[in-house]
Amino acid sequence: QVQLVESGGRLVQAGGSLRLSCAASGRTFSTCAMGWFRQALGKEREFVGAMGLDGNVYADSVKDRFTISRDNAKNTAYLQMDSLRVEDTAVYYCAIRASSRLWSKSPYEYDYWGQGTQVTVSS
């Protein structure tokens, strides 16, 4: 059984930084692609970034501010978020694409999801 558990979300001031973690069990990150998505209140889930065999990719809105990394020994992925903005406020989800090691920007391509962690950026 695959489980993903996110952590690290909290209230932070604009301009600050946060690091979200996504711990996996039942599947190793090195054998699949993983992605980060977010959903703000009243909005659809949107792509943030992804890591796969072909490298990392980011949404334009977070490029140069967010970085995805992975610790294979801990089977944990991270989303480092710098220069946070009020519009980054959302529930952040990690997901894995068990059927492929190539990243995708579509949430429908991902098979397993975490429960989400709330990030709130205040002005």
Side-chain angles (χ1 to χ4, degrees):
Q1 184 179 0
V2 178
Q3 283 192 318
L4 301 175
V5 179
E6 300 102 333
S7 61
R10 62 176 176 86
L11 174 65
V12 64
Q13 283 195 325
S17 297
L18 275 180
R19 189 178 77 160
L20 304 184
S21 299
C22 175
S25 59
R27 187 69 186 256
T28 56
F29 279 121
S30 60
T31 65
C32 55
M34 73 84 54
W36 286 95
F37 294 80
R38 66 186 182 186
Q39 188 166 17
L41 194 62
K43 295 187 177 181
E44 293 188 353
R45 191 167 298 190
E46 67 170 350
F47 173 77
V48 173
M51 169 183 281
L53 184 64
D54 44 349
N56 290 12
V57 64
Y58 300 93
D60 288 344
S61 59
V62 306
K63 198 175 295 183
D64 299 325
R65 297 190 299 122
F66 290 11
T67 304
I68 295 173
S69 61
R70 186 179 71 202
D71 184 332
N72 289 336
K74 295 182 179 180
N75 205 28
T76 298
Y78 303 97
L79 179 66
Q80 177 67 41
M81 305 186 294
D82 299 317
S83 302
L84 282 162
R85 304 169 180 170
V86 172
E87 53 265 38
D88 294 320
T89 295
V91 177
Y92 283 71
Y93 299 88
C94 65
I96 63 171
R97 192 183 184 199
S99 56
S100 174
R101 295 178 68 184
L102 301 179
W103 55 257
S104 172
K105 294 183 179 181
S106 170
Y108 302 104
E109 298 289 339
Y110 290 81
D111 306 293
Y112 300 97
W113 292 80
Q115 83 288 352
T117 186
Q118 176 71 48
V119 172
T120 303
V121 184
S122 64
S123 59

